[in-house]
Amino acid sequence: MAFFIGIGFSAVDIAVIFIEDFNNLSGFLLILIILNIISSLLFHPGTATFMKFGKLSGHGIMTYITSSILHTSIDGGLVYTDIYILTHIKQYIISTELFWAFTMVISISIFLIGILKLNSLIRD
């Protein structure tokens, strides 16, 4: 159930993306939209399963704090990147690439950790 709760959170993120008009977007922006969808589909189920693992293993506070820090890092990183781009427009591409590399590493890592840790409890 934790996995599907995470999917629900990502569905809201993804639904907001589809409000955009995709007809006038550049290829780079379409790639960013795809990365946003992939990140959301990995990050939210990953943190939900990680926190479920924490609750079942007696580490609920630690997994909640860790998940909150990761979520804050991604959201804060986006705000920082947006502000940085406003003042350094020539570094738009590199700033965006660095942010998404950071975000994808976190999203993939927490997804794998959450699934593997929760599976380890289910198998025992």
Side-chain angles (χ1 to χ4, degrees):
M1 289 300 292
F3 181 85
F4 294 107
I5 290 169
I7 291 289
F9 280 105
S10 64
V12 172
D13 279 356
I14 294 166
V16 170
I17 290 171
F18 285 104
I19 295 172
E20 293 291 324
D21 177 15
F22 291 101
N23 294 327
N24 298 321
L25 297 179
S26 69
F28 185 68
L29 287 176
L30 289 173
I31 290 170
L32 295 182
I33 289 169
I34 291 167
L35 286 174
N36 195 335
I37 292 170
I38 292 168
S39 173
S40 186
L41 287 172
L42 294 172
F43 183 80
H44 289 103
T47 55
T49 55
F50 182 62
M51 288 188 292
K52 183 65 174 186
F53 157 76
K55 182 178 181 186
L56 295 175
S57 67
H59 299 95
I61 292 173
M62 184 272 308
T63 56
Y64 172 75
I65 290 170
T66 301
S67 295
S68 295
I69 289 169
L70 292 175
H71 203 278
T72 301
S73 297
I74 290 173
D75 288 349
L78 179 59
V79 170
Y80 176 80
T81 301
D82 286 346
I83 292 169
Y84 184 80
I85 289 168
L86 289 173
T87 58
H88 302 85
I89 193 67
K90 292 181 180 179
Q91 295 181 352
Y92 170 74
I93 300 289
I94 190 70
S95 300
T96 305
E97 289 172 344
L98 288 172
F99 169 76
W100 280 104
F102 168 78
T103 297
M104 293 307 291
V105 166
I106 289 175
S107 298
I108 292 167
S109 297
I110 197 64
F111 181 81
L112 293 174
I113 290 168
I115 298 294
L116 293 173
K117 289 288 192 181
L118 190 56
N119 272 344
S120 72
L121 288 181
I122 293 170
R123 292 182 188 179
D124 291 339

PDB file of all heavy atoms in Angstrom, residues 43-71:
ATOM      1  N   PHE A  43      10.588   9.029  -6.808  1.00  0.00           N
ATOM      2  CA  PHE A  43      10.791   9.633  -5.493  1.00  0.00           C
ATOM      3  C   PHE A  43       9.630   9.367  -4.532  1.00  0.00           C
ATOM      4  O   PHE A  43       9.849   8.923  -3.398  1.00  0.00           O
ATOM      5  CB  PHE A  43      11.028  11.144  -5.624  1.00  0.00           C
ATOM      6  CG  PHE A  43      11.316  11.796  -4.305  1.00  0.00           C
ATOM      7  CD1 PHE A  43      12.586  11.713  -3.752  1.00  0.00           C
ATOM      8  CD2 PHE A  43      10.331  12.460  -3.604  1.00  0.00           C
ATOM      9  CE1 PHE A  43      12.865  12.289  -2.520  1.00  0.00           C
ATOM     10  CE2 PHE A  43      10.601  13.041  -2.378  1.00  0.00           C
ATOM     11  CZ  PHE A  43      11.869  12.953  -1.836  1.00  0.00           C
ATOM     12  N   HIS A  44       8.412   9.632  -4.940  1.00  0.00           N
ATOM     13  CA  HIS A  44       7.281   9.508  -4.015  1.00  0.00           C
ATOM     14  C   HIS A  44       7.031   8.064  -3.565  1.00  0.00           C
ATOM     15  O   HIS A  44       6.895   7.827  -2.364  1.00  0.00           O
ATOM     16  CB  HIS A  44       6.037  10.165  -4.597  1.00  0.00           C
ATOM     17  CG  HIS A  44       6.150  11.656  -4.625  1.00  0.00           C
ATOM     18  ND1 HIS A  44       6.424  12.350  -5.775  1.00  0.00           N
ATOM     19  CD2 HIS A  44       6.061  12.584  -3.648  1.00  0.00           C
ATOM     20  CE1 HIS A  44       6.487  13.640  -5.497  1.00  0.00           C
ATOM     21  NE2 HIS A  44       6.282  13.812  -4.217  1.00  0.00           N
ATOM     22  N   PRO A  45       6.974   7.082  -4.468  1.00  0.00           N
ATOM     23  CA  PRO A  45       6.842   5.706  -3.984  1.00  0.00           C
ATOM     24  C   PRO A  45       8.066   5.264  -3.164  1.00  0.00           C
ATOM     25  O   PRO A  45       7.940   4.506  -2.202  1.00  0.00           O
ATOM     26  CB  PRO A  45       6.714   4.868  -5.263  1.00  0.00           C
ATOM     27  CG  PRO A  45       6.216   5.823  -6.275  1.00  0.00           C
ATOM     28  CD  PRO A  45       6.836   7.142  -5.931  1.00  0.00           C
ATOM     29  N   GLY A  46       9.243   5.768  -3.542  1.00  0.00           N
ATOM     30  CA  GLY A  46      10.454   5.416  -2.795  1.00  0.00           C
ATOM     31  C   GLY A  46      10.415   5.907  -1.364  1.00  0.00           C
ATOM     32  O   GLY A  46      10.712   5.160  -0.425  1.00  0.00           O
ATOM     33  N   THR A  47      10.038   7.175  -1.172  1.00  0.00           N
ATOM     34  CA  THR A  47       9.978   7.690   0.200  1.00  0.00           C
ATOM     35  C   THR A  47       8.829   7.056   0.984  1.00  0.00           C
ATOM     36  O   THR A  47       8.964   6.816   2.184  1.00  0.00           O
ATOM     37  CB  THR A  47       9.853   9.234   0.235  1.00  0.00           C
ATOM     38  OG1 THR A  47       8.740   9.636  -0.539  1.00  0.00           O
ATOM     39  CG2 THR A  47      11.115   9.898  -0.261  1.00  0.00           C
ATOM     40  N   ALA A  48       7.721   6.774   0.320  1.00  0.00           N
ATOM     41  CA  ALA A  48       6.596   6.137   1.016  1.00  0.00           C
ATOM     42  C   ALA A  48       6.979   4.735   1.503  1.00  0.00           C
ATOM     43  O   ALA A  48       6.685   4.370   2.645  1.00  0.00           O
ATOM     44  CB  ALA A  48       5.370   6.072   0.105  1.00  0.00           C
ATOM     45  N   THR A  49       7.650   3.958   0.659  1.00  0.00           N
ATOM     46  CA  THR A  49       8.058   2.612   1.084  1.00  0.00           C
ATOM     47  C   THR A  49       9.180   2.684   2.126  1.00  0.00           C
ATOM     48  O   THR A  49       9.223   1.881   3.053  1.00  0.00           O
ATOM     49  CB  THR A  49       8.497   1.744  -0.116  1.00  0.00           C
ATOM     50  OG1 THR A  49       9.518   2.418  -0.849  1.00  0.00           O
ATOM     51  CG2 THR A  49       7.331   1.426  -1.025  1.00  0.00           C
ATOM     52  N   PHE A  50      10.060   3.664   1.995  1.00  0.00           N
ATOM     53  CA  PHE A  50      11.131   3.860   2.982  1.00  0.00           C
ATOM     54  C   PHE A  50      10.537   4.198   4.354  1.00  0.00           C
ATOM     55  O   PHE A  50      10.946   3.648   5.377  1.00  0.00           O
ATOM     56  CB  PHE A  50      12.072   4.969   2.495  1.00  0.00           C
ATOM     57  CG  PHE A  50      13.230   5.245   3.390  1.00  0.00           C
ATOM     58  CD1 PHE A  50      14.188   4.270   3.661  1.00  0.00           C
ATOM     59  CD2 PHE A  50      13.401   6.497   3.953  1.00  0.00           C
ATOM     60  CE1 PHE A  50      15.274   4.529   4.471  1.00  0.00           C
ATOM     61  CE2 PHE A  50      14.488   6.780   4.768  1.00  0.00           C
ATOM     62  CZ  PHE A  50      15.432   5.789   5.037  1.00  0.00           C
ATOM     63  N   MET A  51       9.541   5.079   4.369  1.00  0.00           N
ATOM     64  CA  MET A  51       8.923   5.430   5.646  1.00  0.00           C
ATOM     65  C   MET A  51       8.101   4.269   6.206  1.00  0.00           C
ATOM     66  O   MET A  51       8.039   4.086   7.422  1.00  0.00           O
ATOM     67  CB  MET A  51       8.076   6.692   5.502  1.00  0.00           C
ATOM     68  CG  MET A  51       8.923   7.946   5.341  1.00  0.00           C
ATOM     69  SD  MET A  51       8.000   9.500   5.388  1.00  0.00           S
ATOM     70  CE  MET A  51       7.066   9.411   3.871  1.00  0.00           C
ATOM     71  N   LYS A  52       7.486   3.465   5.356  1.00  0.00           N
ATOM     72  CA  LYS A  52       6.764   2.274   5.830  1.00  0.00           C
ATOM     73  C   LYS A  52       7.750   1.286   6.443  1.00  0.00           C
ATOM     74  O   LYS A  52       7.480   0.702   7.499  1.00  0.00           O
ATOM     75  CB  LYS A  52       5.991   1.625   4.673  1.00  0.00           C
ATOM     76  CG  LYS A  52       5.175   0.433   5.088  1.00  0.00           C
ATOM     77  CD  LYS A  52       4.068   0.833   6.037  1.00  0.00           C
ATOM     78  CE  LYS A  52       3.155  -0.331   6.334  1.00  0.00           C
ATOM     79  NZ  LYS A  52       2.006   0.068   7.127  1.00  0.00           N
ATOM     80  N   PHE A  53       8.889   1.107   5.793  1.00  0.00           N
ATOM     81  CA  PHE A  53       9.948   0.285   6.373  1.00  0.00           C
ATOM     82  C   PHE A  53      10.324   0.818   7.760  1.00  0.00           C
ATOM     83  O   PHE A  53      10.462   0.048   8.720  1.00  0.00           O
ATOM     84  CB  PHE A  53      11.189   0.271   5.466  1.00  0.00           C
ATOM     85  CG  PHE A  53      12.462  -0.057   6.188  1.00  0.00           C
ATOM     86  CD1 PHE A  53      12.751  -1.351   6.559  1.00  0.00           C
ATOM     87  CD2 PHE A  53      13.354   0.952   6.525  1.00  0.00           C
ATOM     88  CE1 PHE A  53      13.920  -1.648   7.254  1.00  0.00           C
ATOM     89  CE2 PHE A  53      14.520   0.672   7.212  1.00  0.00           C
ATOM     90  CZ  PHE A  53      14.802  -0.636   7.584  1.00  0.00           C
ATOM     91  N   GLY A  54      10.498   2.133   7.865  1.00  0.00           N
ATOM     92  CA  GLY A  54      10.865   2.734   9.142  1.00  0.00           C
ATOM     93  C   GLY A  54       9.832   2.466  10.218  1.00  0.00           C
ATOM     94  O   GLY A  54      10.174   2.141  11.360  1.00  0.00           O
ATOM     95  N   LYS A  55       8.570   2.593   9.863  1.00  0.00           N
ATOM     96  CA  LYS A  55       7.506   2.350  10.839  1.00  0.00           C
ATOM     97  C   LYS A  55       7.519   0.898  11.305  1.00  0.00           C
ATOM     98  O   LYS A  55       7.408   0.620  12.496  1.00  0.00           O
ATOM     99  CB  LYS A  55       6.150   2.696  10.237  1.00  0.00           C
ATOM    100  CG  LYS A  55       5.018   2.507  11.212  1.00  0.00           C
ATOM    101  CD  LYS A  55       3.690   2.901  10.642  1.00  0.00           C
ATOM    102  CE  LYS A  55       2.649   2.678  11.729  1.00  0.00           C
ATOM    103  NZ  LYS A  55       1.322   2.877  11.296  1.00  0.00           N
ATOM    104  N   LEU A  56       7.655  -0.025  10.378  1.00  0.00           N
ATOM    105  CA  LEU A  56       7.634  -1.445  10.734  1.00  0.00           C
ATOM    106  C   LEU A  56       8.880  -1.896  11.479  1.00  0.00           C
ATOM    107  O   LEU A  56       8.827  -2.844  12.261  1.00  0.00           O
ATOM    108  CB  LEU A  56       7.461  -2.295   9.467  1.00  0.00           C
ATOM    109  CG  LEU A  56       6.126  -2.131   8.730  1.00  0.00           C
ATOM    110  CD1 LEU A  56       6.143  -2.932   7.435  1.00  0.00           C
ATOM    111  CD2 LEU A  56       4.961  -2.547   9.620  1.00  0.00           C
ATOM    112  N   SER A  57      10.001  -1.222  11.240  1.00  0.00           N
ATOM    113  CA  SER A  57      11.262  -1.650  11.863  1.00  0.00           C
ATOM    114  C   SER A  57      11.604  -0.854  13.119  1.00  0.00           C
ATOM    115  O   SER A  57      12.645  -1.088  13.724  1.00  0.00           O
ATOM    116  CB  SER A  57      12.404  -1.519  10.850  1.00  0.00           C
ATOM    117  OG  SER A  57      12.632  -0.147  10.550  1.00  0.00           O
ATOM    118  N   GLY A  58      10.742   0.084  13.499  1.00  0.00           N
ATOM    119  CA  GLY A  58      11.009   0.869  14.694  1.00  0.00           C
ATOM    120  C   GLY A  58      11.919   2.067  14.456  1.00  0.00           C
ATOM    121  O   GLY A  58      12.456   2.641  15.398  1.00  0.00           O
ATOM    122  N   HIS A  59      12.107   2.433  13.194  1.00  0.00           N
ATOM    123  CA  HIS A  59      12.940   3.583  12.835  1.00  0.00           C
ATOM    124  C   HIS A  59      12.123   4.673  12.145  1.00  0.00           C
ATOM    125  O   HIS A  59      12.614   5.389  11.267  1.00  0.00           O
ATOM    126  CB  HIS A  59      14.079   3.153  11.898  1.00  0.00           C
ATOM    127  CG  HIS A  59      15.005   2.161  12.507  1.00  0.00           C
ATOM    128  ND1 HIS A  59      14.862   0.806  12.326  1.00  0.00           N
ATOM    129  CD2 HIS A  59      16.073   2.326  13.316  1.00  0.00           C
ATOM    130  CE1 HIS A  59      15.805   0.171  12.977  1.00  0.00           C
ATOM    131  NE2 HIS A  59      16.560   1.076  13.599  1.00  0.00           N
ATOM    132  N   GLY A  60      10.861   4.803  12.542  1.00  0.00           N
ATOM    133  CA  GLY A  60       9.946   5.706  11.865  1.00  0.00           C
ATOM    134  C   GLY A  60      10.386   7.159  11.870  1.00  0.00           C
ATOM    135  O   GLY A  60      10.298   7.834  10.854  1.00  0.00           O
ATOM    136  N   ILE A  61      10.867   7.631  13.000  1.00  0.00           N
ATOM    137  CA  ILE A  61      11.279   9.035  13.075  1.00  0.00           C
ATOM    138  C   ILE A  61      12.475   9.288  12.166  1.00  0.00           C
ATOM    139  O   ILE A  61      12.512  10.279  11.433  1.00  0.00           O
ATOM    140  CB  ILE A  61      11.592   9.439  14.531  1.00  0.00           C
ATOM    141  CG1 ILE A  61      10.296   9.425  15.344  1.00  0.00           C
ATOM    142  CG2 ILE A  61      12.260  10.803  14.606  1.00  0.00           C
ATOM    143  CD1 ILE A  61      10.475   9.639  16.817  1.00  0.00           C
ATOM    144  N   MET A  62      13.439   8.366  12.172  1.00  0.00           N
ATOM    145  CA  MET A  62      14.636   8.528  11.343  1.00  0.00           C
ATOM    146  C   MET A  62      14.290   8.524   9.851  1.00  0.00           C
ATOM    147  O   MET A  62      14.784   9.353   9.089  1.00  0.00           O
ATOM    148  CB  MET A  62      15.654   7.418  11.651  1.00  0.00           C
ATOM    149  CG  MET A  62      16.985   7.540  10.925  1.00  0.00           C
ATOM    150  SD  MET A  62      17.108   6.775   9.277  1.00  0.00           S
ATOM    151  CE  MET A  62      16.560   5.128   9.544  1.00  0.00           C
ATOM    152  N   THR A  63      13.412   7.611   9.437  1.00  0.00           N
ATOM    153  CA  THR A  63      13.069   7.548   8.020  1.00  0.00           C
ATOM    154  C   THR A  63      12.209   8.744   7.607  1.00  0.00           C
ATOM    155  O   THR A  63      12.331   9.237   6.491  1.00  0.00           O
ATOM    156  CB  THR A  63      12.372   6.223   7.651  1.00  0.00           C
ATOM    157  OG1 THR A  63      11.209   6.049   8.466  1.00  0.00           O
ATOM    158  CG2 THR A  63      13.310   5.046   7.828  1.00  0.00           C
ATOM    159  N   TYR A  64      11.359   9.228   8.516  1.00  0.00           N
ATOM    160  CA  TYR A  64      10.568  10.426   8.215  1.00  0.00           C
ATOM    161  C   TYR A  64      11.475  11.642   8.061  1.00  0.00           C
ATOM    162  O   TYR A  64      11.332  12.416   7.105  1.00  0.00           O
ATOM    163  CB  TYR A  64       9.517  10.675   9.304  1.00  0.00           C
ATOM    164  CG  TYR A  64       8.819  11.993   9.109  1.00  0.00           C
ATOM    165  CD1 TYR A  64       7.858  12.142   8.106  1.00  0.00           C
ATOM    166  CD2 TYR A  64       9.140  13.091   9.890  1.00  0.00           C
ATOM    167  CE1 TYR A  64       7.226  13.359   7.904  1.00  0.00           C
ATOM    168  CE2 TYR A  64       8.514  14.314   9.691  1.00  0.00           C
ATOM    169  CZ  TYR A  64       7.564  14.444   8.700  1.00  0.00           C
ATOM    170  OH  TYR A  64       6.950  15.648   8.494  1.00  0.00           O
ATOM    171  N   ILE A  65      12.409  11.817   8.993  1.00  0.00           N
ATOM    172  CA  ILE A  65      13.324  12.965   8.924  1.00  0.00           C
ATOM    173  C   ILE A  65      14.178  12.887   7.657  1.00  0.00           C
ATOM    174  O   ILE A  65      14.360  13.882   6.954  1.00  0.00           O
ATOM    175  CB  ILE A  65      14.201  13.048  10.194  1.00  0.00           C
ATOM    176  CG1 ILE A  65      13.330  13.455  11.385  1.00  0.00           C
ATOM    177  CG2 ILE A  65      15.365  14.021  10.006  1.00  0.00           C
ATOM    178  CD1 ILE A  65      14.022  13.341  12.729  1.00  0.00           C
ATOM    179  N   THR A  66      14.683  11.700   7.343  1.00  0.00           N
ATOM    180  CA  THR A  66      15.491  11.516   6.136  1.00  0.00           C
ATOM    181  C   THR A  66      14.678  11.854   4.891  1.00  0.00           C
ATOM    182  O   THR A  66      15.141  12.580   4.009  1.00  0.00           O
ATOM    183  CB  THR A  66      16.024  10.076   6.044  1.00  0.00           C
ATOM    184  OG1 THR A  66      16.808   9.799   7.207  1.00  0.00           O
ATOM    185  CG2 THR A  66      16.858   9.864   4.793  1.00  0.00           C
ATOM    186  N   SER A  67      13.459  11.342   4.815  1.00  0.00           N
ATOM    187  CA  SER A  67      12.595  11.617   3.666  1.00  0.00           C
ATOM    188  C   SER A  67      12.278  13.100   3.556  1.00  0.00           C
ATOM    189  O   SER A  67      12.263  13.660   2.452  1.00  0.00           O
ATOM    190  CB  SER A  67      11.301  10.805   3.774  1.00  0.00           C
ATOM    191  OG  SER A  67      11.577   9.427   3.699  1.00  0.00           O
ATOM    192  N   SER A  68      12.043  13.739   4.687  1.00  0.00           N
ATOM    193  CA  SER A  68      11.757  15.181   4.686  1.00  0.00           C
ATOM    194  C   SER A  68      12.951  15.986   4.209  1.00  0.00           C
ATOM    195  O   SER A  68      12.797  16.943   3.441  1.00  0.00           O
ATOM    196  CB  SER A  68      11.346  15.639   6.086  1.00  0.00           C
ATOM    197  OG  SER A  68      10.140  15.038   6.457  1.00  0.00           O
ATOM    198  N   ILE A  69      14.139  15.612   4.652  1.00  0.00           N
ATOM    199  CA  ILE A  69      15.359  16.315   4.221  1.00  0.00           C
ATOM    200  C   ILE A  69      15.565  16.144   2.718  1.00  0.00           C
ATOM    201  O   ILE A  69      15.889  17.101   2.013  1.00  0.00           O
ATOM    202  CB  ILE A  69      16.586  15.829   5.019  1.00  0.00           C
ATOM    203  CG1 ILE A  69      16.493  16.324   6.461  1.00  0.00           C
ATOM    204  CG2 ILE A  69      17.895  16.273   4.365  1.00  0.00           C
ATOM    205  CD1 ILE A  69      17.512  15.699   7.403  1.00  0.00           C
ATOM    206  N   LEU A  70      15.346  14.929   2.212  1.00  0.00           N
ATOM    207  CA  LEU A  70      15.503  14.692   0.777  1.00  0.00           C
ATOM    208  C   LEU A  70      14.485  15.507  -0.027  1.00  0.00           C
ATOM    209  O   LEU A  70      14.826  16.117  -1.043  1.00  0.00           O
ATOM    210  CB  LEU A  70      15.357  13.201   0.455  1.00  0.00           C
ATOM    211  CG  LEU A  70      16.465  12.300   0.975  1.00  0.00           C
ATOM    212  CD1 LEU A  70      16.137  10.841   0.693  1.00  0.00           C
ATOM    213  CD2 LEU A  70      17.809  12.678   0.385  1.00  0.00           C
ATOM    214  N   HIS A  71      13.238  15.523   0.437  1.00  0.00           N
ATOM    215  CA  HIS A  71      12.204  16.271  -0.263  1.00  0.00           C
ATOM    216  C   HIS A  71      12.507  17.768  -0.229  1.00  0.00           C
ATOM    217  O   HIS A  71      12.373  18.465  -1.250  1.00  0.00           O
ATOM    218  CB  HIS A  71      10.837  15.987   0.357  1.00  0.00           C
ATOM    219  CG  HIS A  71       9.702  16.238  -0.572  1.00  0.00           C
ATOM    220  ND1 HIS A  71       9.187  17.484  -0.780  1.00  0.00           N
ATOM    221  CD2 HIS A  71       8.991  15.387  -1.354  1.00  0.00           C
ATOM    222  CE1 HIS A  71       8.200  17.400  -1.651  1.00  0.00           C
ATOM    223  NE2 HIS A  71       8.062  16.142  -2.022  1.00  0.00           N
TER     224      HIS A  71
END
